[in-house]
């Protein structure tokens, strides 16, 4: 108990400093979690999620997984800044707070884009992002981030665990993840259920200051996307260069036409780095 208190005090003192510099904020989180490694309930620089577990991520693993939006010096991070700014402008104009990320087919880079976008949003000091792994068929967010959690969306959906217990702050200020550790059977039914409707409602209302980004399966894989989209404000489609055919892209656009399609991201572009991710 004493160590938790100490860690909270420490994080609180360092919060003032962290407001001046995101780097200091990261270091505050690291020091706080190092102070009480057995207790993951450590204060975050953001007072809103003092109960959220803080888990330090492996920077080399992140880079190998192409998660780079937090590294300002990385040659690709600027592309996610640009995407972030465009996405936020459109969402703000329309008062939208929840965004789904999908693609026509798998392996398009949807999860990579969703994570980088969520981190990019959290890089803005006046924004907070929450990333939810609702690709219940092939959940990849935890693996890409290097997270291994005992309580995740699996327990929230199947055992009624409290949503706060599944939330993780991966050492990046203002960024919270709701990971899914294992595939969930009958995923379309689950995503269309009243339980998930209530969960999305809670994420919208209880965490009204956050932009919620939801990683979804591909549009053409099953009806999961169509089951969940009525509960989400808008959708972004990621197309992997050479991954989906023209017909698959057109069919996906047609299925998404009744929802608010924010735009299409061309990922895995062969163009020189300056144009990658357009
Ligand atoms: N811009 C990119 N360039 C090259 N490879 C990429 C790019 N984006 C993602 N990948 C790789 O493509 C694979 C699929 O990415 P992932 O995000 O899991 O796709 P999805 O969620 O659409 O199935 C991963 O191995 C990932 O590292
Ligand atoms: Mg994925």
């Amino acid at each position: 108990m004493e160590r938790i208190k100490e860690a909270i005090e420490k994080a609180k003192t360092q919060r003032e400093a962290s407001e001046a510099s995101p780097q200091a904020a990261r270091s505050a989180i690291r020091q706080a979690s190092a102070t009480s490694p057995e207790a993951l309930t450590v204060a975050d620089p953001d007072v809103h999620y003092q109960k959220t577990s803080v888990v330090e991520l492996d920077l080399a693993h992140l880079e190998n997984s192409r998660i780079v939006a937090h590294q300002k010096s990385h040659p690709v991070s600027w592309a996610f800044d640009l995407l972030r700014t465009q996405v936020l402008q459109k969402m703000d104009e329309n008062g939208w707070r929840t965004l789904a990320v999908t693609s026509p087919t798998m392996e398009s880079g949807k999860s990579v884009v969703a994570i980088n976008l969520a981190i990019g949003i959290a890089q803005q000091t006046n924004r907070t992002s929450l990333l939810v792994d609702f690709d219940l068929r092939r959940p990849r967010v935890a693996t890409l981030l290097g997270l291994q959690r005992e309580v995740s969306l699996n327990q929230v959906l199947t055992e009624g665990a409290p949503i706060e217990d599944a939330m993780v702050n991966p050492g990046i200020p203002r960024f919270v993840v709701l990971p899914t550790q294992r595939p969930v059977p009958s995923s379309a039914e689950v995503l269309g259920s009243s339980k998930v409707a209530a969960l999305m409602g809670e994420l919208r209302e209880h965490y009204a200051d956050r932009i919620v980004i939801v990683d979804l399966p591909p549009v053409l894989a099953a009806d999961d996307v169509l089951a969940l989209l009525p509960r989400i404000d808008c959708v972004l489609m990621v197309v992997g260069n050479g991954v989906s055919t023209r017909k698959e892209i057109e069919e996906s656009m047609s299925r998404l036409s009744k929802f608010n399609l924010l735009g299409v991201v061309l990922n895995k572009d062969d163009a020189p780095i300056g144009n990658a991710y357009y």
Side-chain angles (χ1 to χ4, degrees), residues 107 109-112 133 135 138-141 144 215-218:
E107 290 288 307
K110 207 175 2 8
S111 300
V112 167
D133 193 352
D135 185 345
R138 224 173 133 255
R140 292 274 295 149
V141 170
L144 288 166
D215 189 17
L216 283 179

Side-chain angles (χ1 to χ4, degrees), residues 80 83 87 108 113 236-240 263-267 277-278:
F80 289 112
L83 179 64
V87 163
S108 303
V113 169
L236 187 69
M237 187 158 82
V238 176
V239 172
V264 177
V265 178
L266 177 59
N267 190 31
Y277 286 94
Y278 272 119

Side-chain angles (χ1 to χ4, degrees), residues 15-200:
R15 188 168 163 238
E16 272 110 54
S18 76
E19 275 163 6
S21 131
Q23 218 148 25
R26 274 194 286 278
S27 135
I29 290 175
R30 273 186 202 122
Q31 288 184 32
S33 41
T35 312
S36 57
E38 83 285 11
L40 289 172
T41 320
V42 176
D44 185 272
D46 191 307
V47 285
H48 292 297
Y49 34 99
Q50 291 217 348
K51 280 210 276 176
T52 302
S53 302
V54 180
V55 174
E56 177 116 15
L57 298 183
D58 178 348
L59 293 177
H61 175 86
L62 288 181
E63 187 152 2
N64 284 339
S65 305
R66 301 177 193 275
I67 310 301
V68 295
H70 54 295
Q71 281 189 51
K72 284 297 128 204
S73 57
H74 195 282
V76 170
S77 78
W78 71 270
F80 289 112
D81 287 351
L82 183 62
L83 179 64
R84 177 258 327 265
T85 303
Q86 290 175 324
V87 163
L88 287 179
Q89 269 170 5
K90 279 207 177 178
M91 290 183 76
D92 286 349
E93 272 167 26
N94 292 283
W96 293 333
R97 295 203 314 269
T98 54
L99 166 75
V101 180
T102 187
S103 60
T105 52
M106 61 187 250
E107 290 288 307
S108 303
K110 207 175 2 8
S111 300
V112 167
V113 169
I115 298 172
N116 277 299
L117 178 59
I119 294 175
I121 290 173
Q123 298 287 300
Q124 291 203 328
T125 49
N126 59 341
R127 302 281 188 165
T128 301
S129 65
L130 170 62
L131 175 66
V132 185
D133 193 352
F134 264 148
D135 185 345
L136 301 181
R137 288 170 187 268
R138 224 173 133 255
R140 292 274 295 149
V141 170
T143 311
L144 288 166
L145 289 173
L147 286 172
Q148 184 60 50
R149 305 286 298 156
E150 272 183 25
V151 180
S152 69
L153 258 183
N154 294 96
Q155 283 67 34
V156 174
L157 294 173
T158 59
E159 296 165 23
I163 193 168
E164 308 82 53
D165 291 1
M167 287 186 175
V168 195
N169 167 228
I172 294 172
R174 300 176 297 278
F175 174 47
V176 177
V177 182
L178 208 40
T180 300
Q181 291 288 160
R182 280 181 305 284
V184 175
S186 311
S187 54
E189 288 77 6
V190 172
L191 289 175
S193 68
S194 53
K195 191 176 228 171
V196 166
L199 198 140
M200 280 312 298

